[in-house]
């Protein structure tokens, strides 16, 4: 649901992620009772993974993702931001990793802490052993977000602009705060619901968006500290 109707070869992207057995985790039910009505005991409730876009340069799905991001950046950002983003995506000396984190809407955000912690440990180990996706200078994220369909131009004095932006994965707001390039684009025409469900907050209809973020790898430590502070059970 992340890319909806965008021109991205999802089967190819899935195959690339599966091939990386040393990086990534999936969320499954630990034990399924024998008398359970669940048809599929191996059903996946979410996952987290990383794909190094620089190492996979030239792969169709990777080029499609870059084209998608840059295309929306041209429409939504100042020219200088788009130039910066394009330069970083094409700089082979400073690899960019696509950070993907998806889960069912009813899976609590507390699960994000062990998932991200495990992923960072796997990335560090991959770098130590010279395996794919081990070295990234930047992380690129595309998050499912939404805001009021008819948001008022009047905003409370001192209120941050981010308060009108709501993240499907609540913890991704911490990534947003540390991003050097960030912008939203609407997916209203690609879906008739928000975030894969008919969402509203206080009975206010929400407009579905995608939020693109570019985060320097050296800011991940501060982000992990925030995750520990807010998500530790």
């Amino acid at each position: 649901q992340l890319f909806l109707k965008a021109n991205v070869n999802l089967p190819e992207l899935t195959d690339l992620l599966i091939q990386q057995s040393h990086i990534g985790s999936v969320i499954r039910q630990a034990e399924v009772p024998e008398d359970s009505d669940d048809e599929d005991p191996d059903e996946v409730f979410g996952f987290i993974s990383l794909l190094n876009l620089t190492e996979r340069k030239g792969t169709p799905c990777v080029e499609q993702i870059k084209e998608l991001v840059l295309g929306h950046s041209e429409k939504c950002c100042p020219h200088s931001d788009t130039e910066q983003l394009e330069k970083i995506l094409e700089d082979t000396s400073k690899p960019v990793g696509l950070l993907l984190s998806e889960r069912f809407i009813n899976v609590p955000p507390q699960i994000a802490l062990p998932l991200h912690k495990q992923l960072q440990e796997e990335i560090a180990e991959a770098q130590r052993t010279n395996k794919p996706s081990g070295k990234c200078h930047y992380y690129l994220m595309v998050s499912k977000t939404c805001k009021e369909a008819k948001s008022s131009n009047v905003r409370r004095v001192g209120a941050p602009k981010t308060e009108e932006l709501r993240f499907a994965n609540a913890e991704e707001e911490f990534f947003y705060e540390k991003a050097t390039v960030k912008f939203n684009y609407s997916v209203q025409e690609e879906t008739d619901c928000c975030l894969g469900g008919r969402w509203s907050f206080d009975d206010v209809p929400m407009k579905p968006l995608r939020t693109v973020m570019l985060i320097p790898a050296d800011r991940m430590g501060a982000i992990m500290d925030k995750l520990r502070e807010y998500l530790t059970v």
Side-chain angles (χ1 to χ4, degrees):
Q1 293 182 352
L2 182 64
F3 294 111
L4 296 173
K5 298 178 182 178
N7 181 32
V8 176
N9 188 331
L10 296 181
E12 182 181 51
L13 176 60
T14 302
D15 287 342
L16 291 177
L17 294 174
I18 291 173
Q19 289 169 18
Q20 296 184 152
S21 58
H22 63 291
I23 280 186
S25 304
V26 296
I27 306 169
R28 286 196 177 117
Q29 189 168 335
E31 294 182 3
V32 180
E34 293 182 3
D35 58 351
S36 172
D37 293 331
D38 291 345
E39 295 181 3
D40 184 7
D42 294 323
E43 182 179 4
V44 173
F45 294 93
F47 79 97
I48 190 170
S49 193
L50 180 87
L51 183 67
N52 192 307
L53 300 180
T54 308
E55 292 175 353
R56 299 288 185 171
K57 185 177 181 179
T59 306
C61 69
V62 168
E63 296 305 315
Q64 289 165 349
I65 291 170
K66 288 158 63 176
E67 288 174 12
L68 174 70
V69 168
L70 289 172
H72 284 295
S73 176
E74 289 176 354
K75 299 174 185 176
C76 305
C77 293
H79 181 66
S80 58
D81 284 359
T82 301
E83 274 193 334
Q84 179 189 0
L85 184 58
E86 184 173 15
K87 183 178 179 181
I88 289 172
L89 287 173
E90 295 303 321
D91 185 356
T92 56
S93 67
K94 295 180 179 179
V96 178
L98 177 66
L99 180 54
L100 296 165
S101 179
E102 289 274 319
R103 62 177 182 266
F104 284 175
I105 201 73
N106 60 340
V107 176
Q110 283 76 15
I111 200 169
L113 177 57
L115 287 176
H116 279 284
K117 183 179 178 182
Q118 177 70 20
L119 182 66
Q120 289 302 310
E121 291 174 355
E122 291 168 347
I123 292 171
E125 178 63 14
Q127 183 171 358
R128 189 185 69 80
T129 56
N130 201 29
K131 290 182 179 179
S133 291
K135 187 177 182 182
C136 291
H137 284 259
Y138 295 93
Y139 295 105
L140 181 69
M141 295 182 70
V142 182
S143 294
K144 289 185 287 187
T145 56
C146 61
K147 64 179 181 179
E148 289 185 20
K150 295 181 180 179
S151 59
S152 171
N153 291 326
V154 178
R155 187 159 49 91
R156 194 172 71 251
V157 175
K161 291 182 179 180
T162 53
E163 77 167 9
E164 66 186 35
L165 188 65
R166 301 177 187 267
F167 288 77
N169 292 346
E171 73 281 355
E172 291 176 3
E173 186 170 346
F174 300 132
F175 292 83
Y176 184 89
E177 291 171 356
K178 297 296 182 181
T180 53
V181 176
K182 49 193 172 186
F183 62 90
N184 309 312
Y185 65 90
S186 173
V187 290
Q188 185 78 56
E189 300 302 317
E190 300 178 43
T191 177
D192 60 356
C193 55
C194 184
L195 310 176
R198 300 187 181 280
W199 273 39
S200 66
F201 289 89
D202 298 325
D203 295 324
V204 177
M206 307 301 289
K207 178 182 179 181
L209 304 169
R210 293 296 178 267
T211 297
V212 177
M213 300 171 276
L214 184 72
I215 305 111
D218 60 10
R219 299 188 181 187
M220 282 302 297
I223 293 171
M224 291 303 299
D225 288 342
K226 280 282 190 179
L227 295 181
R228 294 186 190 96
E229 180 182 354
Y230 286 93
L231 299 179
T232 298
V233 178

